[in-house]
């Protein structure tokens, strides 16, 4: 009896979530294209998805935090950690400043904040800084991205469209 269960691989979950985050960020960078209400709710969903992303990498966060001042830690890991920390702070700033200048999401919830000019400037600045940080983050993880896309996207597509190999004649048919 076949008792094997189809389980969702954590790598696949990470791939789907990371692609969704990337697409959401690109759309959020063009509020005039999406319209303000979509921009704001997408931004809120983005912040929630970032929390999920952090929870999925929680073990790495804890382990690397413990070893950050350890001389044995590889320099690349340290740079990666620092970059991720900056990216996290930046996402907090984007979300906080976005909420402070909200004209759709917050009023829809019956809330109103006194928008000050500085929040708008901070929102634009932190969103632009994220472009650099995210670009570097993707560059540092390029190998993982390439391998995972090959395994879960390109290889299954190739397998699906590969022409069927003609069946090899059996010895019985030959005789
Ligand atoms: C992924 C997260 C987000 C990114 C990347 C992002 C990015 C941007 C960018 C690039 C602009 C245009 C700035 C400019 O024209 O100078 C903008 C404007 C704006 N964003 Fe966000 N944002 C995000 C999240 C949010 C959230 C969560 C809110 C509120 C709940 C929000 C509210 C606004 C508002 C009200 C504007 C001003 C639009 C205008 O006056 O034309 N954003 N955002």
């Amino acid at each position: 009896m076949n008792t094997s269960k189809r389980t969702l691989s954590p790598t696949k979950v990470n791939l789907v979530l990371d692609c969704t985050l990337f697409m959401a960020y690109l759309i959020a960078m063009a509020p005039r294209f999406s319209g303000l209400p979509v921009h704001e709710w997408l931004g809120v969903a983005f912040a929630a998805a970032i929390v999920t992303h952090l929870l999925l990498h929680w073990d790495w966060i804890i382990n690397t935090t413990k070893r950050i001042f350890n001389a044995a830690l590889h320099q690349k890991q340290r740079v990666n950690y620092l970059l991720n920390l900056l990216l996290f702070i930046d996402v907090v700033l984007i979300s906080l400043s976005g909420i402070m200048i909200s004209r759709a999401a917050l009023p829809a919830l019956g809330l109103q904040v006194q928008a000050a000019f500085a929040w708008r400037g901070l929102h634009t600045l932190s969103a632009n800084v994220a472009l650099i940080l995210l670009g570097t983050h993707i560059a540092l993880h390029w190998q993982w991205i390439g391998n995972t896309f090959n395994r879960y996207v390109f290889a299954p597509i190739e397998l699906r469209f590969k022409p069927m190999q003609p069946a090899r004649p059996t010895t019985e048919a030959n005789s």
Side-chain angles (χ1 to χ4, degrees):
M1 194 172 65
N2 184 9
T3 53
S4 69
K5 275 189 199 161
R6 279 170 74 90
T7 52
L8 202 55
S9 113
T11 313
K12 223 190 259 183
V13 173
N14 280 329
L15 182 70
V16 171
L17 183 67
D18 294 355
C19 288
T20 311
L21 276 169
F22 183 62
M23 292 309 294
Y25 173 74
L26 290 186
I27 298 170
M29 282 303 280
R32 276 159 203 84
F33 160 76
S34 64
L36 200 56
V38 170
H39 172 81
E40 292 192 11
W41 286 113
L42 187 72
V44 171
F46 178 87
I50 284 285
V51 174
T52 313
H53 177 82
L54 294 178
L55 289 176
L56 286 174
H57 296 280
W58 196 246
D59 286 347
W60 181 89
I61 295 171
I62 297 297
N63 287 335
T64 318
T65 305
K66 280 181 189 162
R67 294 184 302 139
I68 196 69
F69 296 115
N70 188 331
L73 187 72
H74 204 281
Q75 200 57 20
K76 194 181 166 194
Q77 283 272 63
R78 202 170 277 123
V79 170
N80 191 18
Y81 182 88
L82 234 131
L83 181 82
N84 289 344
L85 185 65
L86 288 177
L87 199 51
F88 173 71
I89 295 170
D90 197 49
V91 168
V92 170
L93 288 180
I94 298 176
S95 311
L96 181 68
S97 56
I99 287 169
M100 293 310 283
I101 58 170
S102 169
R103 297 204 302 266
L106 242 58
L109 296 173
L111 301 167
Q112 200 76 51
V113 282
Q114 199 62 49
F117 177 69
W119 288 116
R120 170 83 200 260
L122 183 64
H123 192 63
T124 310
L125 180 70
S126 50
N128 290 336
V129 167
L131 205 59
I132 301 164
L133 295 175
L134 202 61
T136 320
H137 182 79
I138 289 171
L140 280 178
H141 293 86
W142 193 246
Q143 208 168 6
W144 182 89
I145 296 169
N147 290 343
T148 314
F149 258 93
N150 272 340
R151 182 166 178 199
Y152 292 109
V153 182
F154 302 129
I157 291 175
E158 200 181 311
L159 208 72
R160 204 184 172 110
F161 292 104
K162 211 174 175 178
M164 293 266 281
Q165 296 289 326
R168 281 182 26 175
T170 61
T171 44
E172 209 175 285
N174 286 341
S175 60

Short mmCIF file of all heavy atoms in Angstrom, two decimals, residues 24-32 36 39-47 91 94-106 120 123-124 126-128 130, ligand 1:
data_model
loop_
_atom_site.label_atom_id
_atom_site.label_comp_id
_atom_site.label_asym_id
_atom_site.label_seq_id
_atom_site.Cartn_x
_atom_site.Cartn_y
_atom_site.Cartn_z
N ALA A 24 4.76 42.31 -5.29
CA ALA A 24 4.02 43.31 -4.51
C ALA A 24 4.84 44.58 -4.37
O ALA A 24 4.31 45.70 -4.48
CB ALA A 24 3.67 42.74 -3.13
N TYR A 25 6.15 44.42 -4.14
CA TYR A 25 7.02 45.59 -4.01
C TYR A 25 7.03 46.39 -5.32
O TYR A 25 6.91 47.63 -5.31
CB TYR A 25 8.44 45.16 -3.63
CG TYR A 25 9.42 46.32 -3.65
CD1 TYR A 25 9.41 47.28 -2.65
CD2 TYR A 25 10.31 46.46 -4.71
CE1 TYR A 25 10.28 48.36 -2.69
CE2 TYR A 25 11.19 47.53 -4.76
CZ TYR A 25 11.17 48.48 -3.75
OH TYR A 25 12.03 49.55 -3.81
N LEU A 26 7.16 45.68 -6.46
CA LEU A 26 7.20 46.37 -7.75
C LEU A 26 5.91 47.16 -7.99
O LEU A 26 5.94 48.30 -8.44
CB LEU A 26 7.43 45.37 -8.90
CG LEU A 26 8.82 44.72 -8.97
CD1 LEU A 26 8.93 43.87 -10.22
CD2 LEU A 26 9.93 45.77 -8.96
N ILE A 27 4.77 46.53 -7.68
CA ILE A 27 3.47 47.21 -7.88
C ILE A 27 3.36 48.40 -6.93
O ILE A 27 2.92 49.49 -7.32
CB ILE A 27 2.28 46.24 -7.70
CG1 ILE A 27 2.36 45.11 -8.74
CG2 ILE A 27 0.95 46.97 -7.83
CD1 ILE A 27 1.40 43.96 -8.52
N ALA A 28 3.81 48.20 -5.67
CA ALA A 28 3.73 49.29 -4.67
C ALA A 28 4.62 50.47 -5.06
O ALA A 28 4.36 51.60 -4.63
CB ALA A 28 4.12 48.76 -3.29
N MET A 29 5.63 50.22 -5.87
CA MET A 29 6.52 51.31 -6.28
C MET A 29 5.86 52.22 -7.33
O MET A 29 6.42 53.24 -7.70
CB MET A 29 7.85 50.76 -6.83
CG MET A 29 8.81 50.30 -5.76
SD MET A 29 9.22 51.59 -4.56
CE MET A 29 10.45 52.53 -5.45
N ALA A 30 4.69 51.81 -7.81
CA ALA A 30 4.00 52.62 -8.83
C ALA A 30 2.58 52.93 -8.38
O ALA A 30 1.62 52.41 -8.94
CB ALA A 30 4.01 51.88 -10.16
N PRO A 31 2.41 53.80 -7.34
CA PRO A 31 1.06 54.06 -6.81
C PRO A 31 0.13 54.71 -7.82
O PRO A 31 -1.08 54.50 -7.77
CB PRO A 31 1.32 55.00 -5.62
CG PRO A 31 2.71 55.47 -5.74
CD PRO A 31 3.46 54.51 -6.59
N ARG A 32 0.70 55.44 -8.79
CA ARG A 32 -0.16 56.08 -9.79
C ARG A 32 -0.72 55.05 -10.77
O ARG A 32 -1.77 55.25 -11.36
CB ARG A 32 0.59 57.19 -10.53
CG ARG A 32 0.56 58.50 -9.76
CD ARG A 32 1.66 59.46 -10.13
NE ARG A 32 1.92 60.39 -9.03
CZ ARG A 32 2.71 60.13 -8.00
NH1 ARG A 32 3.33 58.98 -7.93
NH2 ARG A 32 2.86 61.03 -7.04
N LEU A 36 -4.39 54.76 -5.40
CA LEU A 36 -3.97 54.86 -4.00
C LEU A 36 -4.55 53.79 -3.07
O LEU A 36 -3.79 53.20 -2.28
CB LEU A 36 -4.26 56.28 -3.46
CG LEU A 36 -3.46 56.66 -2.23
CD1 LEU A 36 -1.96 56.53 -2.47
CD2 LEU A 36 -3.81 58.07 -1.79
N HIS A 39 -2.71 50.64 -3.61
CA HIS A 39 -1.34 50.85 -3.13
C HIS A 39 -1.26 50.67 -1.61
O HIS A 39 -0.40 49.95 -1.10
CB HIS A 39 -0.86 52.25 -3.51
CG HIS A 39 0.46 52.62 -2.90
ND1 HIS A 39 1.65 52.20 -3.43
CD2 HIS A 39 0.77 53.33 -1.78
CE1 HIS A 39 2.64 52.64 -2.68
NE2 HIS A 39 2.13 53.34 -1.67
N GLU A 40 -2.17 51.30 -0.91
CA GLU A 40 -2.11 51.27 0.56
C GLU A 40 -2.40 49.88 1.12
O GLU A 40 -1.68 49.39 1.99
CB GLU A 40 -3.06 52.31 1.14
CG GLU A 40 -2.60 53.73 0.85
CD GLU A 40 -3.35 54.77 1.64
OE1 GLU A 40 -4.08 54.41 2.58
OE2 GLU A 40 -3.21 55.97 1.32
N TRP A 41 -3.45 49.21 0.60
CA TRP A 41 -3.78 47.87 1.13
C TRP A 41 -2.71 46.85 0.75
O TRP A 41 -2.39 45.96 1.52
CB TRP A 41 -5.17 47.42 0.66
CG TRP A 41 -6.26 48.16 1.38
CD1 TRP A 41 -7.14 49.06 0.85
CD2 TRP A 41 -6.56 48.11 2.79
NE1 TRP A 41 -7.98 49.56 1.82
CE2 TRP A 41 -7.64 49.00 3.03
CE3 TRP A 41 -6.03 47.42 3.88
CZ2 TRP A 41 -8.19 49.20 4.29
CZ3 TRP A 41 -6.58 47.62 5.15
CH2 TRP A 41 -7.64 48.49 5.34
N LEU A 42 -2.17 47.02 -0.45
CA LEU A 42 -1.07 46.14 -0.88
C LEU A 42 0.14 46.34 0.04
O LEU A 42 0.80 45.38 0.45
CB LEU A 42 -0.69 46.45 -2.33
CG LEU A 42 0.33 45.52 -2.98
CD1 LEU A 42 -0.31 44.17 -3.27
CD2 LEU A 42 0.86 46.11 -4.28
N GLY A 43 0.40 47.60 0.39
CA GLY A 43 1.51 47.93 1.30
C GLY A 43 1.32 47.28 2.67
O GLY A 43 2.26 46.73 3.25
N VAL A 44 0.07 47.30 3.16
CA VAL A 44 -0.23 46.68 4.46
C VAL A 44 -0.03 45.16 4.36
O VAL A 44 0.59 44.54 5.24
CB VAL A 44 -1.68 47.03 4.92
CG1 VAL A 44 -2.07 46.23 6.15
CG2 VAL A 44 -1.80 48.53 5.19
N ALA A 45 -0.54 44.57 3.26
CA ALA A 45 -0.38 43.11 3.06
C ALA A 45 1.10 42.76 2.93
O ALA A 45 1.55 41.71 3.43
CB ALA A 45 -1.14 42.67 1.80
N PHE A 46 1.86 43.63 2.28
CA PHE A 46 3.30 43.42 2.12
C PHE A 46 3.98 43.33 3.49
O PHE A 46 4.79 42.44 3.74
CB PHE A 46 3.88 44.58 1.29
CG PHE A 46 5.37 44.52 1.09
CD1 PHE A 46 5.90 43.80 0.03
CD2 PHE A 46 6.24 45.18 1.94
CE1 PHE A 46 7.28 43.74 -0.17
CE2 PHE A 46 7.61 45.14 1.76
CZ PHE A 46 8.14 44.42 0.70
N ALA A 47 3.62 44.26 4.39
CA ALA A 47 4.21 44.27 5.73
C ALA A 47 3.88 42.96 6.47
O ALA A 47 4.74 42.38 7.14
CB ALA A 47 3.71 45.48 6.52
N VAL A 91 11.90 48.50 5.76
CA VAL A 91 10.50 48.09 5.55
C VAL A 91 9.61 48.64 6.67
O VAL A 91 8.49 49.09 6.43
CB VAL A 91 10.38 46.55 5.43
CG1 VAL A 91 8.94 46.10 5.51
CG2 VAL A 91 11.00 46.07 4.13
N ILE A 94 9.09 52.27 5.79
CA ILE A 94 8.14 52.43 4.66
C ILE A 94 6.70 52.28 5.19
O ILE A 94 5.83 53.09 4.90
CB ILE A 94 8.37 51.36 3.55
CG1 ILE A 94 9.74 51.48 2.92
CG2 ILE A 94 7.29 51.47 2.48
CD1 ILE A 94 10.05 50.39 1.89
N SER A 95 6.48 51.21 5.98
CA SER A 95 5.12 50.91 6.45
C SER A 95 4.63 51.99 7.41
O SER A 95 3.49 52.48 7.29
CB SER A 95 5.08 49.55 7.15
OG SER A 95 5.70 48.59 6.34
N LEU A 96 5.50 52.38 8.36
CA LEU A 96 5.10 53.39 9.35
C LEU A 96 4.79 54.73 8.68
O LEU A 96 3.74 55.33 8.92
CB LEU A 96 6.23 53.56 10.38
CG LEU A 96 5.95 54.56 11.50
CD1 LEU A 96 4.85 54.03 12.42
CD2 LEU A 96 7.22 54.82 12.32
N SER A 97 5.71 55.19 7.80
CA SER A 97 5.48 56.48 7.14
C SER A 97 4.27 56.40 6.21
O SER A 97 3.51 57.37 6.10
CB SER A 97 6.73 56.90 6.36
OG SER A 97 7.10 55.90 5.44
N GLY A 98 4.07 55.21 5.56
CA GLY A 98 2.90 55.03 4.69
C GLY A 98 1.62 55.18 5.49
O GLY A 98 0.68 55.85 5.05
N ILE A 99 1.59 54.57 6.68
CA ILE A 99 0.40 54.66 7.53
C ILE A 99 0.17 56.12 7.96
O ILE A 99 -0.96 56.59 7.98
CB ILE A 99 0.54 53.71 8.75
CG1 ILE A 99 0.38 52.27 8.26
CG2 ILE A 99 -0.46 54.03 9.85
CD1 ILE A 99 0.76 51.21 9.27
N MET A 100 1.26 56.84 8.24
CA MET A 100 1.15 58.23 8.70
C MET A 100 0.63 59.17 7.62
O MET A 100 0.11 60.25 7.92
CB MET A 100 2.50 58.73 9.22
CG MET A 100 2.98 58.04 10.48
SD MET A 100 1.77 57.96 11.79
CE MET A 100 1.84 59.62 12.44
N ILE A 101 0.79 58.79 6.32
CA ILE A 101 0.28 59.66 5.26
C ILE A 101 -0.94 59.04 4.57
O ILE A 101 -1.40 59.54 3.53
CB ILE A 101 1.37 59.98 4.19
CG1 ILE A 101 1.91 58.70 3.56
CG2 ILE A 101 2.48 60.83 4.78
CD1 ILE A 101 2.81 58.94 2.34
N SER A 102 -1.44 57.93 5.16
CA SER A 102 -2.56 57.21 4.54
C SER A 102 -3.77 58.11 4.28
O SER A 102 -4.20 58.86 5.16
CB SER A 102 -2.95 56.03 5.43
OG SER A 102 -4.17 55.49 4.99
N ARG A 103 -4.32 57.99 3.06
CA ARG A 103 -5.54 58.75 2.74
C ARG A 103 -6.68 57.81 2.36
O ARG A 103 -7.77 58.26 2.07
CB ARG A 103 -5.27 59.70 1.56
CG ARG A 103 -4.22 60.75 1.86
CD ARG A 103 -4.39 61.98 0.97
NE ARG A 103 -4.32 61.65 -0.45
CZ ARG A 103 -3.20 61.72 -1.18
NH1 ARG A 103 -2.06 62.11 -0.61
NH2 ARG A 103 -3.20 61.43 -2.45
N ALA A 104 -6.40 56.49 2.34
CA ALA A 104 -7.45 55.53 1.96
C ALA A 104 -7.64 54.45 3.03
O ALA A 104 -8.75 54.28 3.54
CB ALA A 104 -7.10 54.88 0.63
N ALA A 105 -6.58 53.72 3.37
CA ALA A 105 -6.71 52.57 4.29
C ALA A 105 -7.13 53.00 5.69
O ALA A 105 -8.08 52.44 6.26
CB ALA A 105 -5.39 51.80 4.34
N LEU A 106 -6.43 53.98 6.25
CA LEU A 106 -6.74 54.40 7.62
C LEU A 106 -8.13 55.02 7.73
O LEU A 106 -8.91 54.63 8.61
CB LEU A 106 -5.65 55.36 8.14
CG LEU A 106 -4.89 54.83 9.36
CD1 LEU A 106 -4.22 53.50 9.06
CD2 LEU A 106 -3.90 55.84 9.88
N ARG A 120 5.88 62.10 4.38
CA ARG A 120 5.83 61.88 2.93
C ARG A 120 7.25 61.72 2.37
O ARG A 120 7.52 60.82 1.58
CB ARG A 120 5.09 63.05 2.28
CG ARG A 120 5.14 63.10 0.77
CD ARG A 120 4.08 62.20 0.15
NE ARG A 120 4.42 61.88 -1.24
CZ ARG A 120 3.91 62.47 -2.29
NH1 ARG A 120 3.01 63.42 -2.12
NH2 ARG A 120 4.28 62.13 -3.50
N HIS A 123 8.70 58.47 3.45
CA HIS A 123 8.10 57.36 2.70
C HIS A 123 8.79 57.18 1.34
O HIS A 123 9.18 56.07 0.98
CB HIS A 123 6.60 57.62 2.52
CG HIS A 123 5.84 56.43 2.04
ND1 HIS A 123 5.73 55.27 2.77
CD2 HIS A 123 5.15 56.20 0.89
CE1 HIS A 123 5.02 54.39 2.10
NE2 HIS A 123 4.65 54.94 0.94
N THR A 124 8.95 58.29 0.63
CA THR A 124 9.60 58.23 -0.69
C THR A 124 11.04 57.76 -0.55
O THR A 124 11.50 56.89 -1.29
CB THR A 124 9.57 59.62 -1.36
OG1 THR A 124 8.24 60.12 -1.31
CG2 THR A 124 10.02 59.56 -2.81
N SER A 126 12.56 56.05 1.95
CA SER A 126 12.74 54.64 2.37
C SER A 126 12.33 53.67 1.27
O SER A 126 12.95 52.60 1.12
CB SER A 126 11.99 54.36 3.67
OG SER A 126 10.66 54.80 3.58
N ALA A 127 11.32 54.05 0.45
CA ALA A 127 10.91 53.18 -0.66
C ALA A 127 12.03 53.10 -1.70
O ALA A 127 12.30 52.03 -2.25
CB ALA A 127 9.63 53.70 -1.30
N ASN A 128 12.71 54.24 -1.94
CA ASN A 128 13.82 54.23 -2.91
C ASN A 128 15.05 53.49 -2.38
O ASN A 128 15.73 52.80 -3.13
CB ASN A 128 14.19 55.66 -3.31
CG ASN A 128 13.09 56.29 -4.15
OD1 ASN A 128 12.32 55.59 -4.79
ND2 ASN A 128 13.00 57.61 -4.13
N ALA A 130 14.97 51.02 -0.43
CA ALA A 130 14.65 49.58 -0.51
C ALA A 130 15.04 49.00 -1.87
O ALA A 130 15.39 47.82 -1.96
CB ALA A 130 13.16 49.35 -0.25
C1 LIG B 1 5.82 47.87 -0.01
C2 LIG B 1 5.49 48.95 0.65
C3 LIG B 1 5.39 50.31 0.00
C4 LIG B 1 6.15 50.86 -1.00
C5 LIG B 1 7.31 50.22 -1.74
C6 LIG B 1 5.63 52.20 -1.24
C7 LIG B 1 6.15 53.08 -2.17
C8 LIG B 1 5.62 54.34 -2.47
C9 LIG B 1 6.10 55.23 -3.49
C10 LIG B 1 7.31 54.97 -4.38
C11 LIG B 1 5.31 56.33 -3.48
C12 LIG B 1 5.42 57.55 -4.40
C13 LIG B 1 6.18 58.63 -3.65
C14 LIG B 1 6.32 59.91 -4.45
O1 LIG B 1 5.65 60.07 -5.46
O2 LIG B 1 7.12 60.73 -4.01
C15 LIG B 1 4.30 56.14 -2.46
C16 LIG B 1 3.31 57.05 -2.15
C17 LIG B 1 2.36 56.87 -1.17
N1 LIG B 1 2.21 55.76 -0.35
FE1 LIG B 1 3.40 54.12 -0.35
N2 LIG B 1 4.59 52.43 -0.37
C18 LIG B 1 4.40 51.30 0.39
C19 LIG B 1 3.47 51.10 1.39
C20 LIG B 1 2.48 52.03 1.74
C21 LIG B 1 1.52 51.84 2.80
C22 LIG B 1 1.44 50.63 3.72
C23 LIG B 1 0.74 52.98 2.82
C24 LIG B 1 -0.42 53.32 3.73
C25 LIG B 1 -1.15 52.48 4.40
C26 LIG B 1 1.21 53.86 1.77
C27 LIG B 1 0.67 55.10 1.45
C28 LIG B 1 1.13 55.96 0.48
C29 LIG B 1 0.55 57.27 0.20
C30 LIG B 1 -0.64 57.89 0.89
C31 LIG B 1 1.33 57.83 -0.83
C32 LIG B 1 1.18 59.22 -1.43
C33 LIG B 1 0.57 59.15 -2.81
C34 LIG B 1 0.48 60.55 -3.41
O3 LIG B 1 0.38 61.50 -2.67
O4 LIG B 1 0.52 60.61 -4.62
N3 LIG B 1 2.27 53.26 1.14
N4 LIG B 1 4.51 54.92 -1.85
#
